Amino acid sequence: MSLRIAFQMDPMEGLNIASDSTFALMLSAQARGYSCFHYLAPDLTWTGKRLVAHAHPVKAWRDAGKHFEFDAPLRLDLGSDVDVVWMRQDPPFDLGYITATHLLERIQHETLVLNDPANVRNAPEKLFVLDYARFMPPTMITRSIDEARGFLAEHGEIVVKPLHGNGGKAIFKVGSDGANLSSLIEVFNAAYVEPHMIQAFLPSVVAGDKRIVLVDGVVAGAVNRIPGEGEIRSNLAVGGKAAKTELSAREIEICEALGPELKRRGLLFVGIDVIGGEWLTEINVTSPTGIVAIDRFNGTDTAAVIWEAVEARLADRN
């Protein structure tokens, strides 16, 4: 099958080609004979009738610093000129991101948009997961210092993080004395208009925070992310170390609970995070990562699995 794929993503210049999942998808697409295009979310234009993007045809290869080449830019009609639009820019999940989902919804009757833009908008990573609270550690979402103090008193040690953060940024552990909790909540309240996520600290995070990738609701692979020395954060973007892993019985149960709903929502490529083999903390649907590390440890080709799922989706539409 010959497809035309438009990637709405971050600038090509800044990609870490050794680990970037979108870059891996692009390379795999080229290997399958697909044509690829690159544009940024601000390049979208709604003309009153059509959604267009000022995009570049792109070729990519694994050569750090010289990993892509653009052809001359063109005005791409995302409804009629391509088969698939991949919404793969990194958060923040701000009004620009939300606006892009609204615009991309307008072409869904013509073009397959992944992940489904309405469901990306309606499933922020740290809010969608509340639908599966039975698998989560004790969790509070609040801006209230008094509520946060009560939660700390109940659970002893806690973690405070932005509700719409990503990549392990601005995650803080607060000890049982709560010495800095009030100041931290004050800083968060000044920095963010939304409430914040507070969770009981899980000591088992020292053994790793597992990223499990599901493709169209089915597990495609997993990698364990182990915090660096002196860290509680295990994200690879902040120095976590990847390690080979297997799924626990509890993790299999979690995936079986989530899978059908992810497929129903058109969330084709999803990464969930599970600590200690049992505690679900996030369901990542905006621009999940991890497939490069998974394939390195398991000898798999997750990008190919994703493209096969895409082709199956397209066949169902015809």
Side-chain angles (χ1 to χ4, degrees):
M1 182 180 291
S2 179
L3 301 177
R4 291 164 63 85
I5 314 294
F7 289 91
Q8 176 179 301
M9 56 185 286
D10 298 314
M12 293 290 294
E13 293 85 353
L15 300 183
N16 179 352
I17 67 170
S19 61
D20 191 272
S21 291
T22 309
F23 190 74
L25 284 170
M26 187 177 287
L27 291 178
S28 181
Q30 289 179 171
R32 299 171 78 90
Y34 302 165
S35 299
C36 298
F37 303 87
H38 174 280
Y39 73 91
L40 307 177
D43 295 327
L44 289 172
T45 295
W46 174 252
T47 69
K49 295 181 179 179
R50 308 296 299 174
L51 183 63
V52 300
H54 293 270
H56 289 270
V58 60
K59 296 181 178 65
W61 48 86
R62 290 202 180 278
D63 184 3
K66 300 178 182 178
H67 55 276
F68 75 98
E69 181 179 272
F70 281 159
D71 287 340
L74 47 78
R75 188 173 185 265
L76 201 63
D77 186 315
L78 296 180
S80 61
D81 292 340
V82 298
D83 301 291
V84 179
V85 172
W86 263 112
M87 188 166 52
R88 288 287 306 173
Q89 79 269 26
D90 285 342
F93 193 73
D94 56 14
L95 282 174
Y97 211 121
I98 290 168
T99 300
T101 67
H102 282 291
L103 292 174
L104 289 170
E105 268 189 282
R106 297 178 178 275
I107 63 167
Q108 282 187 290
H109 62 291
E110 298 177 274
T111 301
L112 179 62
V113 182
L114 298 168
N115 284 329
D116 178 272
N119 280 297
V120 166
R121 185 173 66 246
N122 293 334
E125 343 277 48
K126 296 181 182 69
L127 289 173
F128 180 28
V129 70
L130 300 180
D131 290 354
Y132 300 92
R134 65 191 184 276
F135 298 122
M136 295 179 69
T139 298
M140 172 177 282
I141 295 177
T142 188
R143 290 175 64 86
S144 167
I145 292 175
D146 288 341
E147 292 286 353
R149 286 181 184 139
F151 191 82
L152 175 64
E154 181 180 356
H155 296 289
E157 293 181 303
I158 61 174
V159 171
V160 182
K161 51 189 173 182
L163 193 61
H164 297 299
N166 73 298
K169 301 181 185 73
I171 297 177
F172 294 88
K173 178 186 175 186
V174 178
S176 57
D177 62 2
N180 294 311
L181 179 60
S182 294
S183 296
L184 181 60
I185 296 298
E186 288 169 3
V187 169
F188 268 47
N189 284 351
Y192 307 105
V193 298
E194 66 272 16
H196 327 300
M197 176 170 271
I198 304 176
Q199 292 182 316
F201 174 67
L202 302 173
S204 55
V205 73
V206 298
D209 178 359
K210 201 170 295 184
R211 165 57 56 89
I212 305 171
V213 167
L214 295 96
V215 177
D216 225 7
V218 177
V219 173
V223 63
N224 198 24
R225 302 170 301 176
I226 301 170
E229 186 70 26
E231 269 283 2
I232 63 165
R233 301 176 299 171
S234 57
N235 307 68
L236 301 183
V238 294
K241 186 175 76 172
K244 186 177 175 63
T245 191
E246 302 291 337
L247 298 192
S248 69
R250 172 74 161 184
E251 288 165 338
I252 293 170
E253 179 187 0
I254 291 170
C255 292
E256 289 177 346
L258 268 62
E261 181 65 8
L262 299 178
K263 184 177 178 68
R264 186 190 71 79
R265 287 177 177 240
L267 299 171
L268 186 138
F269 178 9
V270 173
I272 69 170
D273 297 336
V274 182
I275 292 177
E278 60 177 328
W279 298 110
L280 176 67
T281 58
E282 293 187 18
I283 303 173
N284 298 278
V285 305
T286 50
S287 183
T289 60
I291 67 173
V292 176
I294 288 170
D295 290 344
R296 183 168 68 249
F297 286 113
N298 297 336
T300 48
D301 188 350
T302 307
V305 173
I306 292 170
W307 287 121
E308 286 161 10
V310 170
E311 290 190 3
R313 285 261 173 173
L314 288 169
D316 288 343
R317 288 165 64 97
N318 294 333

